[in-house]
Amino acid sequence: MKPFKVRLRFHADLKIFLGSKAGGALVERLLAEKTSIKDVIESCGVPHPEVDLILVDDQTVGFNHTLATDAKVEVFPVENRGTSQTDKRLQTIGLTRFVADGHLGKLTRNLRLLGFDVAYDQGAEDRQLLDVMARQNRALLTRDRRLLMHAIVQHGYYPRSQNPDEQTIEVIRRFELSELIAPFTRCLRCNAPLEQADKAELMDELEPLTKIYYDQFRRCPDCEHIYWPGSHFSKLQKRIEEIRARVRGKP
Ligand SMILES: [Zn+2]
């Protein structure tokens, strides 16, 4: 087969995956055999769950599209959703169930604080993460690009920032979750949805001052941890308001 040349342009922040020696958003690939567009894009370092729209010679295509001749390719991330071609988008927004890798403990806690369902095990190995992701239909959150490129990953996200609060804002934006935030509804320790608890039934377990000052309690049905609007609550509340304000404002 005659070698052919593919010119790819990566839009918006997909550039971060290309590595410094690329020097820009343009990559050229010389190919000698039929190759799927997904493989060509990933060979440039960009994981497929980050790709929302692909144009090959101005036509929208899916990940299975095969290249066999010279082509000009435009690759867009999710954040760049305009009004056009929304039906051709490759990613899903509004997903609320996640599995986070072992390095994202603080992001996990933040998302749980906002009410989102995040499976997390600090010691989980890659195959366990992929297994939970596939069996429970969760989106994978990881800064391991190779893992995100795994063929069975359908939905996922690579947090750009190393800062957990920034990562939280990124995830809410990426999956468009701002309307679905429900603070203090999920156990921060084990992810179970909290249940209202009757104060009378908790009396034996509460500290004397807590008994006096608080009447609203929630309890985790799994780990039995008790939550109430104590001194840490206003700190968390402030944190949630900051995150909400940041999500509403533009970066
Ligand atoms: Zn719990």
Side-chain angles (χ1 to χ4, degrees):
M1 182 170 185
K2 198 166 137 265
F4 56 98
K5 192 187 278 181
V6 179
R7 284 198 176 87
L8 302 105
R9 181 186 292 277
F10 291 90
H11 290 263
D13 73 349
L14 290 181
K15 289 195 257 312
I16 61 162
F17 295 108
L18 301 177
S20 54
K21 60 179 191 293
L26 273 171
V27 180
E28 278 192 7
R29 281 277 181 274
L30 202 58
L31 300 173
E33 58 185 34
K34 274 191 181 180
T35 312
S36 79
I37 188 72
K38 183 182 172 195
D39 288 348
V40 178
I41 288 171
E42 292 202 323
S43 79
C44 301
V46 181
H48 67 273
E50 293 289 340
V51 174
D52 197 28
L53 180 68
I54 308 168
L55 302 180
V56 174
D57 296 325
D58 301 323
Q59 300 291 312
T60 53
V61 300
F63 286 123
N64 294 329
H65 180 83
T66 332
L67 298 170
T69 54
D70 289 358
K72 191 181 67 130
V73 180
E74 309 275 343
V75 187
F76 296 87
V78 176
E79 62 167 43
N80 212 18
R81 286 199 176 188
T83 48
S84 63
Q85 292 163 327
T86 42
D87 56 325
K88 307 284 186 181
R89 299 290 171 156
L90 299 167
Q91 301 302 327
T92 308
I93 55 168
L95 298 171
T96 57
R97 288 158 58 79
F98 303 95
V99 54
D101 87 16
H103 302 288
L104 299 175
K106 286 179 178 160
L107 169 62
T108 296
R109 205 180 146 84
N110 275 354
L111 289 171
R112 286 178 180 169
L113 177 65
L114 298 173
F116 299 110
D117 178 349
V118 187
Y120 176 78
D121 172 358
Q122 195 175 10
E125 291 175 18
D126 290 356
R127 59 181 171 76
Q128 291 168 312
L129 291 170
L130 295 174
D131 185 51
V132 170
M133 177 203 72
R135 272 192 302 115
Q136 302 177 6
N137 194 23
R138 293 173 181 273
L140 175 64
L141 303 175
T142 180
R143 281 178 53 83
D144 179 344
R145 257 197 282 178
R146 287 280 143 206
L147 188 59
L148 213 47
M149 286 183 192
H150 197 289
I152 72 161
V153 178
Q154 255 198 304
H155 310 294
Y157 180 73
Y158 174 97
R160 275 58 167 163
S161 176
Q162 310 249 25
N163 173 295
D165 287 356
E166 295 295 328
Q167 293 174 341
T168 307
I169 291 157
E170 288 179 27
V171 171
I172 292 168
R173 284 191 179 141
R174 158 65 181 83
F175 294 97
E176 298 191 6
L177 300 176
S178 57
E179 300 299 314
L180 302 172
I181 291 173
F184 307 112
T185 56
R186 193 169 290 277
C187 183
L188 302 182
R189 299 182 171 192
C190 74
N191 197 41
L194 298 180
E195 291 173 354
Q196 296 287 350
D198 192 349
K199 185 176 176 182
E201 286 172 18
L202 302 175
M203 287 308 259
D204 294 347
E205 300 169 61
L206 301 176
E207 300 291 327
L209 288 176
T210 309
K211 274 187 218 175
I212 295 170
Y213 288 116
Y214 300 100
D215 292 312
Q216 299 286 328
F217 295 91
R218 286 179 178 179
R219 177 172 222 158
C220 173
D222 286 358
C223 74
E224 306 207 321
H225 190 70
I226 300 165
Y227 292 84
W228 69 92
S231 55
H232 59 289
F233 185 87
S234 56
K235 232 173 84 188
L236 291 176
Q237 193 90 45
K238 197 164 156 261
R239 199 112 156 261
I240 292 166
E241 282 318 310
E242 277 168 15
I243 290 172
R244 279 192 151 141
R246 287 285 313 282
V247 169
R248 277 194 299 265
K250 291 289 158 203

